[in-house]
Amino acid sequence: MATSIASSQINRNFSAPKYSLSQLIKTKLSTGNEHCLETEISADLELKFGKKKSDFLVPAEVLGLRTLSTDGSGSNLISNEQSNFAYLAPTPVSKVISLGGRLLTNLKDEYQINGSVEPFQAFWVSEGGQIQDSQPDVYKLALSPYKLVASSTMTVELWNQTTEFADNFVSEGMAKALWAEIDKSVLVGNGVNQPLGLASLSGVNSIVLGVNGGQLHWNAIAELEKLVTVNNPNEKSLGYLINSDTASFLKKAEKVNGSGQFLLADQPLQPTDEFKVLNSRICGVSNNLPSNLFKGTSTDLSMAVFGDWSTVVIGIYGAINLQVDPFSNGNFDLGLVTLRMMARVGVGFLNPALFTVVTDVKTN
C-alpha cells in the first residue's frame, strides 16, 4: 500500500527533495516502472480520488494554486514560498482569480454550494417583544465538472536540461494554457462542453451602447456600475475586466472633453502593475474577452464586464491527470514526447445580478 505522503511529507518536511515534473516524466521515458517521490505522490492521489486511466496524477499546484485541498485541516494548506512545489508555477495566471474569484480544489463529484443573496437579516425589537426569525432565500449552486485538456509536443532533449528549467517551462506553459480557457469559460462559456459564462448567464445585467455598438463613455460607465451596486455587492471585490482594445481606447478617452483626465488611469497604481484604475475601481486587462463581436454593421465590437468577482466560484475536481506519450504520431522516431494535462473544472456564480456585461463596445 502506498505511503500517504501528499499531506505529510509535502507539507511538513520542507527539507525533502522538491517535487519535479521533469523527474516524473523522465521516469516514464526510462522504464515506466521506477519509483520516486513523484510516483509515490501519484499513487497517494489515486488512493484519495480513485484509480485513473492515465500515466500519473499530479497535485493541483501544477496550475499555480495556493492550496492542496479544501477538505481537511490547516495542515493541508501549502505556502508556495516554503513548500516542496517551489519549482512549479508560482501563481495562477488567471485574471478572474486575481480580481477576487473564489477557488476550490480537490473537489469530488456532486459538489453543491449553499448560498443566499442576503444571508443575514437584522430587526429592531421592542422590550419584551417577539423576536422573529430571518427567512433568507437559500439556494443550492451545483458545480458540474467539465474536462479541460492542455497538450504539447516537445523534444526529449528538453528533459536533459536543468531540472528547474524543464519544470518551469512545462508547468508555467501548461498552467497558462489551462487558465486561459478557464477564464474564457467564466466570461463566454457556452454551457455545452464547457461551463456557462457570464455572456449567456440568466440574471446578469446588461446595457446597450448603440444599434451598431458604441463607445464606453462616462455616462455608460456610471450606468453599468449602478446596475451592480444597487444589489449590495462586496465593495472590496468590485472591478472591471476589459480587453486590450478597450484599454487602449479608454487610455485616450477623456472623462470630460478638454479636462485632461482620461477614463483609464495608471495612477495611483504603477504602469507595470497588473491592474489599472477605472472610475476608482481596479481594472484588469485580458484578451480572453472577445474583440470580434457582431452587431448591426459593426464586426469588431468588444466585451467588457464589471462586477463582484468574489461571487465567482471555480472548482478543480481531484488531481491533475498527466499523460506522457513518447510513441504516438511517430514521436519515437523523431525523438519527441507528447504531454497532456487533463483537469476537471466547474464554474458557478453565487449571484448573477452582481455583474453587468457589455457586448457592443466600439474601440475605434
Side-chain angles (χ1 to χ4, degrees):
M1 182 175 180
T3 302
S4 180
I5 61 175
S7 62
S8 58
Q9 186 174 357
I10 295 175
N11 293 298
R12 294 303 185 187
N13 186 5
F14 295 130
S15 63
K18 287 182 170 60
Y19 183 97
S20 168
L21 272 181
S22 61
Q23 178 60 47
L24 188 62
I25 293 167
K26 283 190 287 187
T27 296
K28 174 64 177 181
L29 294 179
S30 56
T31 66
N33 295 314
E34 294 183 6
H35 292 285
C36 57
L37 171 69
E38 293 75 16
T39 57
E40 290 185 45
I41 290 174
S42 178
D44 189 71
L45 292 171
E46 288 180 2
L47 290 176
K48 183 174 183 179
F49 297 111
K51 188 69 176 178
K52 303 293 182 182
K53 293 181 179 179
S54 64
D55 289 294
F56 302 108
L57 293 182
V58 298
E61 276 74 11
V62 296
L63 298 186
L65 307 183
R66 291 291 183 181
T67 60
L68 178 61
S69 69
T70 59
D71 59 355
S73 65
S75 64
N76 288 326
L77 301 180
I78 289 180
S79 166
N80 283 44
E81 289 74 23
Q82 293 181 309
S83 77
N84 294 53
F85 290 87
Y87 284 157
L88 302 185
T91 54
V93 282
S94 166
K95 290 294 183 181
V96 172
I97 296 297
S98 297
L99 283 163
R102 300 175 188 269
L103 181 63
L104 303 176
T105 61
N106 285 0
L107 299 183
K108 298 178 174 62
D109 292 333
E110 305 301 328
Y111 189 83
Q112 291 186 333
I113 301 173
N114 293 325
S116 173
V117 174
E118 293 292 344
F120 298 99
Q121 297 178 359
F123 307 94
W124 294 104
V125 181
S126 61
E127 190 67 29
Q130 179 68 37
I131 299 177
Q132 56 181 315
D133 292 328
S134 61
Q135 298 293 329
D137 182 16
V138 177
Y139 60 88
K140 290 185 176 180
L141 173 66
L143 294 185
S144 300
Y146 293 83
K147 183 183 291 185
L148 177 62
V149 181
S151 179
S152 179
T153 299
M154 55 199 70
T155 64
V156 174
E157 284 77 15
L158 172 67
W159 313 112
N160 296 325
Q161 309 306 314
T162 64
T163 299
E164 184 172 359
F165 173 81
D167 285 338
N168 286 337
F169 183 83
V170 174
S171 64
E172 291 178 7
M174 290 290 196
K176 182 178 180 180
L178 290 170
W179 274 116
E181 290 303 316
I182 293 173
D183 275 7
K184 285 179 185 178
S185 74
V186 171
L187 301 167
V188 296
N190 59 29
V192 179
N193 62 338
Q194 58 190 266
L196 184 66
L198 287 166
S200 304
L201 189 65
S202 176
V204 171
N205 304 299
S206 64
I207 63 171
V208 176
L209 297 179
V211 175
N212 301 310
Q215 297 175 346
L216 194 59
H217 50 71
W218 180 248
N219 288 342
I221 291 172
E223 178 63 22
L224 68 85
E225 282 202 13
K226 183 186 74 173
L227 294 175
V228 171
T229 56
V230 73
N231 293 309
N232 301 318
N234 178 359
E235 287 284 336
K236 294 182 179 180
S237 301
L238 287 175
Y240 289 88
L241 191 58
I242 59 178
N243 61 26
S244 57
D245 286 350
T246 305
S248 177
F249 173 82
L250 293 178
K251 285 183 177 182
K252 298 175 288 186
E254 290 183 296
K255 181 176 178 181
V256 178
N257 288 337
S259 67
Q261 296 181 345
F262 299 98
L263 293 178
L264 188 65
D266 291 327
Q267 299 299 328
L269 305 181
Q270 298 301 314
T272 55
D273 283 346
E274 181 178 3
F275 296 114
K276 308 304 179 187
V277 176
L278 178 57
N279 192 23
S280 300
R281 312 282 190 186
I282 61 172
C283 180
V285 180
S286 170
N287 287 324
N288 291 323
L289 285 164
S291 59
N292 59 349
L293 300 177
F294 295 78
K295 186 177 182 182
T297 59
S298 298
T299 60
D300 57 353
L301 301 177
S302 290
M303 175 179 169
V305 180
F306 173 75
D308 179 355
W309 296 93
S310 69
T311 62
V312 180
V313 180
I314 298 174
I316 308 294
Y317 288 76
I320 307 300
N321 228 325
L322 174 66
Q323 292 184 341
V324 182
D325 183 2
F327 301 113
S328 299
N329 302 315
N331 280 357
F332 184 80
D333 292 334
L334 297 172
L336 302 176
V337 57
T338 297
L339 303 182
R340 295 185 185 90
M341 278 190 181
M342 293 181 286
R344 296 170 66 239
V345 181
V347 171
F349 302 89
L350 295 176
N351 187 357
L354 294 181
F355 282 94
T356 299
V357 173
V358 191
T359 57
D360 61 347
V361 179
K362 295 190 71 171
T363 58
N364 49 40

